Amino acid sequence: EIVLTQSPGTLSLSPGERATLSCRASQSVSSSYLAWYQQKPGQAPRLLIYGASSRATGIPDRFSGSGSGTDFTLTISRLEPEDFAVYYCQQYGSSPLLTFGGGTKVEIK
Amino acid sequence: QVQLQESGPGLVKPSQTLSLTCTVSGGSISSGSYYWSWIRQPAGKGLEWIGRIYTSGSTNYNPSLKSRVTISVDTSKNQFSLKLSSVTAADTAVYYCARYFDWDDAFDIWGQGTMVTVSS
């Protein structure tokens, strides 16, 4: 079973700062099968990144994804007020077929 | 624009079966390379994938829930459904339906979610 571990659990930053979120897999994950989501309170998650580095439709270019193998990163270049939320990574391909990381909360410092 | 909407009872008694339906609007459930999934989220916690179905009827389930889960599709109604049997308080969560796009290998469209509480 592949376990996705996200760090840090909480990231306290100010608007305009750079956010770097980590997602580490217990086994190698194909880059094609790693996605990132944003979730705000009371809302469903929203797809940000698929294929480790491709932005979903309508996602601003301040969001970028990178990584391969077991280490993946979501970077928000300059935090906007609407970016404070919880972020999840997700992998496809190993039993369970689909798994999510535990999430990283980006909060206003 | 495709939209998903969950529906079903908000309260289920322990040991009973939780039943939810997801209605797809703005597009056909049978079109394209899509799998139709259920995902849940207990209050204050992370996301757990429950399972998915293709319009052919082919299913995949999370092994941790497989013995209790059935996902089915009704293409004539543009709906897919979740049944989770023998529920306990641990099954209390917000349940989301979501579309998994095979080309992007990601959940690209989500329903708004529905809260289900298991309590007597």
Side-chain angles (χ1 to χ4, degrees):
Chain A
E1 176 183 346
I2 287 187
V3 176
L4 299 179
T5 301
Q6 293 189 239
S7 61
T10 301
L11 199 51
S12 298
L13 295 168
S14 300
E17 290 193 294
R18 181 185 187 89
T20 303
L21 288 66
S22 172
C23 175
R24 181 161 291 177
S26 58
Q27 302 172 41
S28 184
V29 173
S30 168
S31 296
S32 299
Y33 301 146
L34 195 288
W36 289 92
Y37 301 84
Q38 176 194 67
Q39 186 179 34
K40 296 179 181 179
Q43 296 184 18
R46 176 176 71 144
L47 176 64
L48 297 176
I49 301 287
Y50 63 92
S53 60
S54 298
R55 274 187 299 277
T57 303
I59 302 303
D61 60 8
R62 64 180 180 273
F63 290 92
S64 63
S66 63
S68 63
T70 59
D71 290 298
F72 297 88
T73 300
L74 175 69
T75 302
I76 310 171
S77 59
R78 293 173 309 279
L79 282 165
E80 297 288 341
E82 62 268 28
D83 299 336
F84 292 92
V86 180
Y87 294 83
Y88 294 95
C89 57
Q90 170 252 309
Q91 71 86 29
Y92 162 84
S94 185
S95 182
L97 198 60
L98 290 144
T99 52
F100 293 90
T104 290
K105 181 180 182 180
V106 179
E107 66 175 23
I108 299 177
K109 186 174 181 180
Chain B
Q1 179 179 345
V2 174
Q3 294 183 312
L4 307 182
Q5 179 67 58
E6 305 89 350
S7 60
L11 181 64
V12 182
K13 289 182 167 49
S15 79
Q16 293 192 341
T17 296
L18 178 160
S19 296
L20 295 175
T21 296
C22 182
T23 300
V24 180
S25 60
S28 171
I29 199 171
S30 300
S31 65
S33 299
Y34 304 118
Y35 288 84
W36 305 93
S37 281
W38 289 96
I39 295 156
R40 69 181 183 179
Q41 184 174 37
K45 297 189 177 181
L47 300 161
E48 181 180 31
W49 174 70
I50 298 169
R52 70 178 190 177
I53 190 166
Y54 195 62
T55 50
S56 64
S58 172
T59 54
N60 302 104
Y61 298 130
N62 189 324
S64 68
L65 297 168
K66 186 175 182 178
S67 63
R68 298 194 291 131
V69 172
T70 302
I71 297 177
S72 59
V73 64
D74 186 336
T75 54
S76 67
K77 293 183 178 179
N78 234 29
Q79 295 176 334
F80 62 105
S81 299
L82 168 70
K83 290 189 185 301
L84 181 65
S85 64
S86 305
V87 297
T88 69
D91 295 309
T92 295
V94 174
Y95 285 75
Y96 295 101
C97 58
R99 187 179 82 171
Y100 189 86
F101 186 23
D102 205 25
W103 271 36
D104 293 346
D105 283 296
F107 296 102
D108 64 341
I109 298 177
W110 295 66
Q112 64 185 28
T114 188
M115 179 69 201
V116 178
T117 301
V118 178
S119 175
S120 55

